Amino acid sequence: MATTLFSGGTIWCGADREPSDALLVRDGIIAAVGATACADALGLGTEADLAAPEGARHVDLAGGFLMPSFGDGHAHPLFGGLEAAGPQVRACTSVEEIIAEVARFAAAHPEAEWIVGASYDGSLVEGGLFDARWLDAAVSDRPVVLRAWDYHTVWVNSRALDLAGITAETPDPVLGEIPRRPDGTPLGTLREWGAVDLIAAVQPPQTGDERLRALERAAAYYLEHGVTWVQDAWVEPADVDTYLTAARQDRLGIRFNLALYADPRRFSAQLPEMIESRRRVRDAASPLLTAETVKFFADGVVENETGALLEPYCSSLHNHGMRVWEGDTLAEAVTAVDAAGFQIHIHAIGDAAVRQALDAIESAITANGPRDRRPVIAHAQLVAAADLDRFAELGIIATMQPLWAQLDALMTVLTVPRLGEERADDQYRMRTILETGATLAFGSDWPVSSGAPLEGLAIATSRQTSEGRPVGGWTPDEIVDPARALDAYSASVAHQAFADAAPAPWGAIRPGASADLVILGTDPRTLGPADLAALPVRATYLRGALLHSSDAASARA
């Protein structure tokens, strides 16, 4: 058996447990915690002998911080991996930079029939409304499709509009919007998937190899940031095929759970397909892949005024926003999915959507009876005061994105003007939800925002931008203390993943658990937000195997 001893630093065992000073791993499983227990397990005479344990590889933490590896409770890894294949517009800080990057990419790739990229900054233009003619200046003879960083919006050139048949006469589709110029012609921005699907219907799909490479890039990205489990929160049938191929070829890299996307336009036909997809994944019997979850969208996003609100938007393009499932249809679909044994995962941004999601889950519990279901409401950007206690009462996990809880340009330019100052201050009530007794798990929604947990931790523990604004933090009563924030990115995500029910549970430092571990440069609980965001991830282990190393200490025997 492969045996590894970790010592020489802080071994963090969770918010409610004392740190330890040594950890022993045998054949990918934690065998002992603490110097005395490790010495006994190795048959050593004294703890001093741990400095050079015979028959074991020794990893000197060199003052570093070892903890359970991070999880990401809500993300889109295939989307993230695919971004590298197109024009790199995420870092662009103006429309002119985006256009120049698209032109550069098109010139470098004359063979590309379509120019596809992501994620441009929607706050660069008032209202997030981008014109097709601006992209025409870069490429006019080939279609260009760019996703905004919210992944609910695309910006296309005129050629793409022509190929999709989107004209002044095209009505707004169900679950979508086509912003228009004063003369009625389509502007070039398409909002929500009903409109985005008009482009997707004529856009060639990526090849199987492109998708596999994207998944490998995503896994490598996550390992660099200390993450070993990801909830893919939007999986369609072609994505299931990609994951199964990667599993067969041993190319997954990390653990994934798939949330199969429920579309209200065709849900009745989807449920049998979802059950079959779950069976296929179970039959593959990969220790790194599950498909036990179904993803629902209850609404859109505030930035498009498609997030569903109890009270109207201030600028009121859409009054109360958009409900994806009308009437009782969400409750009916959630109840059916729950009866089939799936975990429920609902995107709910606005307070009306959160209430609808809570009601739907409560209906499923009433109809189907008690069981360990661990339903998830993702984002929970706005939660009405009357609904805050319902998360704990119904056993619902609030999977939230700490990076969004800051007064950055997205918030100040697009969000606050739509909600108003008073309502804006009720966003992302992470500490409040935690203090009700509910489980708070963290996710990134990568590539919508960074998938680096340390960057999220910096915001969760400060509610400040990278420039340290505002002093004392925005809505400081919602700051989460560092230990609880670390738990939200590790133990709580493991709870969401049912990891404690696995043969070798992960997300914990205790004997019998899988050695899914991350080594950080120092104790993150001692750092301010700027230093925390820059804290190096020195090593990432999955089942005891070193899969990422950025310094010599983690590799030293």
Side-chain angles (χ1 to χ4, degrees), residues 184-223:
T185 57
L187 178 65
T189 299
L190 304 173
R191 289 173 162 167
E192 299 299 344
W193 49 94
V196 174
D197 283 353
L198 300 176
I199 294 291
V202 296
Q203 181 181 334
Q206 299 92 1
T207 67
D209 284 345
E210 288 172 332
R211 294 165 65 81
L212 282 170
R213 287 195 297 271
L215 191 56
E216 288 179 317
R217 283 193 292 266
Y221 172 87
Y222 273 117
L223 287 168

Side-chain angles (χ1 to χ4, degrees), residues 402-463:
L403 265 172
W404 300 356
Q406 59 173 313
L407 291 178
D408 57 2
L410 180 66
M411 181 69 75
T412 58
V413 175
L414 293 179
T415 304
V416 174
R418 286 163 165 76
L419 295 178
E421 295 283 350
E422 182 176 352
R423 187 165 43 176
D425 283 349
D426 286 335
Q427 295 178 91
Y428 305 117
R429 300 187 68 179
M430 297 174 186
R431 182 173 174 179
T432 296
I433 288 176
L434 184 63
E435 290 180 346
T436 67
T439 298
L440 173 67
F442 282 160
S444 67
D445 212 13
W446 184 70
V448 172
S449 46
S450 169
L454 292 169
E455 294 180 25
L457 287 165
I459 303 301
T461 57
S462 71
R463 308 278 285 202

Side-chain angles (χ1 to χ4, degrees), residues 77 105 128 152 156 167 173 221 238 249 282-283 289 323 391 419 429-430 491 523 527 546:
F105 182 88
H152 287 247
V156 300
T167 68
Y221 172 87
Q249 297 180 9
R282 286 177 175 176
D283 287 351
L289 185 64
R323 289 177 183 251
F391 284 82
L419 295 178
R429 300 187 68 179
M430 297 174 186
D523 188 337
L527 301 178
L546 177 63

Side-chain angles (χ1 to χ4, degrees), residues 212-507:
L212 282 170
R213 287 195 297 271
L215 191 56
E216 288 179 317
R217 283 193 292 266
Y221 172 87
Y222 273 117
L223 287 168
E224 289 173 6
H225 292 98
V227 177
T228 60
W229 182 88
V230 175
Q231 173 64 70
D232 189 326
W234 185 346
V235 174
E236 305 211 43
D239 304 326
V240 176
D241 293 338
T242 299
Y243 277 103
L244 284 170
T245 300
R248 286 193 297 268
Q249 297 180 9
D250 195 24
R251 295 170 67 178
L252 286 170
I254 61 173
R255 303 180 191 271
F256 293 98
N257 180 56
L258 311 184
L260 308 170
Y261 165 57
D263 187 333
R265 298 167 294 183
R266 55 181 299 268
F267 175 72
S268 59
Q270 279 188 305
L271 186 53
E273 296 171 359
M274 292 171 174
I275 293 170
E276 174 61 13
S277 291
R278 179 177 62 185
R279 182 200 63 77
R280 291 173 63 205
V281 172
R282 286 177 175 176
D283 287 351
S286 168
L288 301 181
L289 185 64
T290 55
E292 300 296 323
T293 305
V294 170
K295 161 70 175 295
F296 297 86
F297 282 93
D299 64 348
V301 293
V302 169
E303 295 76 28
N304 281 347
E305 298 196 15
T306 53
L309 301 182
L310 293 172
E311 299 297 329
Y313 282 94
C314 293
S315 52
S316 199
L317 285 174
H318 296 287
N319 200 7
H320 290 267
M322 177 186 77
R323 289 177 183 251
V324 175
W325 300 74
E326 294 295 342
D328 295 329
T329 57
L330 179 61
E332 292 165 359
V334 165
T335 299
V337 160
D338 180 74
F342 285 101
Q343 181 188 33
I344 301 158
H345 191 111
I346 306 178
H347 161 118
I349 290 281
D351 47 10
V354 171
R355 179 168 293 175
Q356 185 186 24
L358 289 163
D359 290 345
I361 293 168
E362 186 170 19
S363 294
I365 294 170
T366 301
N368 299 329
R371 70 177 175 88
D372 185 8
R373 46 177 46 88
R374 305 187 196 185
V376 171
I377 293 180
H379 312 315
Q381 184 169 341
L382 279 172
V383 183
D387 291 327
L388 286 166
D389 288 334
R390 297 179 69 193
F391 284 82
E393 291 167 359
L394 296 170
I396 295 170
I397 300 164
T399 298
M400 302 179 75
Q401 290 61 52
L403 265 172
W404 300 356
Q406 59 173 313
L407 291 178
D408 57 2
L410 180 66
M411 181 69 75
T412 58
V413 175
L414 293 179
T415 304
V416 174
R418 286 163 165 76
L419 295 178
E421 295 283 350
E422 182 176 352
R423 187 165 43 176
D425 283 349
D426 286 335
Q427 295 178 91
Y428 305 117
R429 300 187 68 179
M430 297 174 186
R431 182 173 174 179
T432 296
I433 288 176
L434 184 63
E435 290 180 346
T436 67
T439 298
L440 173 67
F442 282 160
S444 67
D445 212 13
W446 184 70
V448 172
S449 46
S450 169
L454 292 169
E455 294 180 25
L457 287 165
I459 303 301
T461 57
S462 71
R463 308 278 285 202
Q464 292 177 321
T465 65
S466 58
E467 294 81 22
R469 301 191 183 116
V471 175
W474 169 61
T475 56
D477 288 349
E478 296 300 333
I479 290 172
V480 179
D481 75 78
R484 294 295 175 189
L486 287 170
D487 259 1
Y489 260 125
S490 54
S492 295
V493 177
H495 175 74
Q496 175 184 326
F498 291 85
D500 51 0
W506 52 267

Side-chain angles (χ1 to χ4, degrees), residues 531-550:
D531 292 331
L532 181 55
L535 179 62
V537 172
R538 288 169 42 189
T540 308
Y541 293 80
L542 176 63
R543 299 189 295 173
L546 177 63
L547 298 185
H548 165 72
S549 176
S550 65

Side-chain angles (χ1 to χ4, degrees), residues 116-194:
V116 180
S119 307
Y120 69 88
D121 180 351
S123 68
L124 295 176
V125 173
E126 184 176 356
L129 297 171
F130 290 69
D131 198 308
R133 293 173 295 194
W134 303 342
L135 285 176
D136 293 345
V139 181
S140 60
D141 60 338
R142 288 179 280 172
V144 178
V145 181
L146 302 180
R147 282 189 180 267
W149 62 5
D150 64 11
Y151 269 73
H152 287 247
T153 311
V154 299
W155 172 25
V156 300
N157 70 349
S158 298
R159 180 61 177 151
L161 291 172
D162 291 344
L163 289 173
I166 300 173
T167 68
E169 287 69 44
T170 304
D172 280 354
V174 175
L175 302 180
E177 180 193 15
I178 305 171
R180 303 172 192 274
R181 303 185 182 99
D183 64 1
T185 57
L187 178 65
T189 299
L190 304 173
R191 289 173 162 167
E192 299 299 344
W193 49 94

